[in-house]
Amino acid sequence: MALPTTQRSVFAPDARFFVITAIVMALINVGAFSFFAAMGISSFQAPVAVHIHAILFMGWILLFVSQVSLGAAGSLALHRKLGWLAVGWALAMVIVGTMTTIWSAQKAAVPFFFLPAQFVLMNPLSVMLFAALLIGAVAKRRDREWHPRLIICGMAAIMGPSFGRLLPAPLLMYSMLTAVFIGMIAFPVAGIVRDKLRYGRVHPAWWLGLVSLLLLQLATETLGRSAIAGAIYARTVVGTPGARVPGLIYQRPPFPTDS
């Protein structure tokens, strides 16, 4: 059975799913970073570069929810105009996100549950996947089945930092990467289940998003542990405090452990 392709099919019956999913994603992001601020882990005393990163990424959350809501409400003229802003915003996020990752590695501020070399590789790949799926969604902007699904999948690609802040690191320890990945794929999986229940088949956009995230995880778990990643890390942190941190060895947790 083919999925419906009319405007009404997405912006009436499916509107609630896409809007609720977008709001849930936004709340997870806002909640995660607010939690760190409340715990005193994040601070407004951070360097200017960190504030630029925060403004850019949190601004994206607002733009993301606004765009999904406009599309669901049928306000397509404004939705399309803001779509071009979203593309430029996403490209800026790739640049700033990558630079922030480099800065964290150079400051020896990589979370303990990632290998430093893995972290330097994973974050840029995540934000580049986000941008690629978003650009794909823009290319498919007139296809009202592909477009919203690719947007959700693209957003899922950058949910890692939020889950990394909300999940209990003392309990999960070095399994955090897997736990974060499960959180990220929960969104395309929810779309797959919903399509199957509603239409009897799954739209290929969900499979594309899920496979993309699986490949991201595979690259992180394999290439991220390789000598290649170690060499990239070493070149990235040369001459900085991060150079004293081995790229392919987990760091000690910042809290007491039984080991």
Side-chain angles (χ1 to χ4, degrees):
M1 181 175 67
L3 293 178
T5 56
T6 64
Q7 177 174 331
R8 182 176 177 78
S9 70
V10 170
F11 297 126
D14 288 352
R16 181 176 297 178
F17 172 76
F18 292 118
V19 171
I20 289 176
T21 301
I23 291 173
V24 168
M25 294 173 118
L27 289 175
I28 290 172
N29 277 279
V30 173
F33 287 90
S34 298
F35 171 70
F36 258 44
M39 293 292 290
I41 302 172
S42 298
S43 169
F44 287 104
Q45 304 303 316
V48 174
V50 175
H51 288 295
I52 293 174
H53 177 272
I55 291 170
L56 194 61
F57 277 72
M58 294 308 290
W60 167 258
I61 301 300
L62 178 61
L63 181 58
F64 166 66
V65 174
S66 299
Q67 278 292 79
V68 174
S69 300
L70 286 169
S75 302
L76 299 186
L78 180 56
H79 175 82
R80 287 167 180 158
K81 289 179 181 178
L82 288 178
W84 295 112
L85 171 63
V87 172
W89 202 287
L91 295 177
M93 289 168 68
V94 172
I95 297 170
V96 173
T98 299
M99 295 305 298
T100 303
T101 298
I102 292 171
W103 177 83
S104 297
Q106 291 176 340
K107 292 290 185 180
V110 174
F112 77 91
F113 43 81
F114 296 128
L115 292 173
Q118 193 177 53
F119 179 81
V120 166
L121 183 72
M122 174 188 65
N123 276 6
L125 287 178
S126 297
V127 76
M128 283 190 283
L129 176 58
F130 153 74
L133 289 170
L134 183 67
I135 290 170
V138 172
K140 287 282 193 179
R141 61 189 178 276
R142 298 191 184 280
D143 188 321
R144 296 183 177 93
E145 301 299 336
W146 276 92
H147 181 74
R149 289 168 171 83
L150 288 177
I151 293 291
I152 296 297
C153 290
M155 185 64 193
I158 55 171
M159 292 293 292
S162 296
F163 284 115
R165 285 166 170 78
L166 289 177
L167 293 171
L171 297 178
L172 295 170
M173 294 295 285
Y174 303 115
S175 298
M176 277 285 286
L177 180 61
T178 300
V180 166
F181 171 69
I182 291 171
M184 291 166 66
I185 66 170
F187 300 101
V189 168
I192 287 170
V193 172
R194 183 182 181 278
D195 271 10
K196 186 66 176 177
L197 292 175
R198 187 176 184 86
Y199 302 116
R201 67 181 290 269
V202 178
H203 192 279
W206 293 128
W207 293 123
L208 176 61
L210 182 60
V211 169
S212 297
L213 292 170
L214 286 168
L215 290 175
L216 173 65
Q217 178 72 1
L218 180 63
T220 302
E221 289 283 15
T222 55
L223 186 58
R225 298 175 183 273
S226 70
I228 295 174
I232 293 172
Y233 173 80
R235 183 177 292 272
T236 299
V237 300
V238 65
T240 69
R244 298 193 294 268
V245 178
L248 296 175
I249 298 177
Y250 286 108
Q251 302 307 294
R252 290 180 61 84
F255 45 78
T257 63
D258 294 333
S259 57

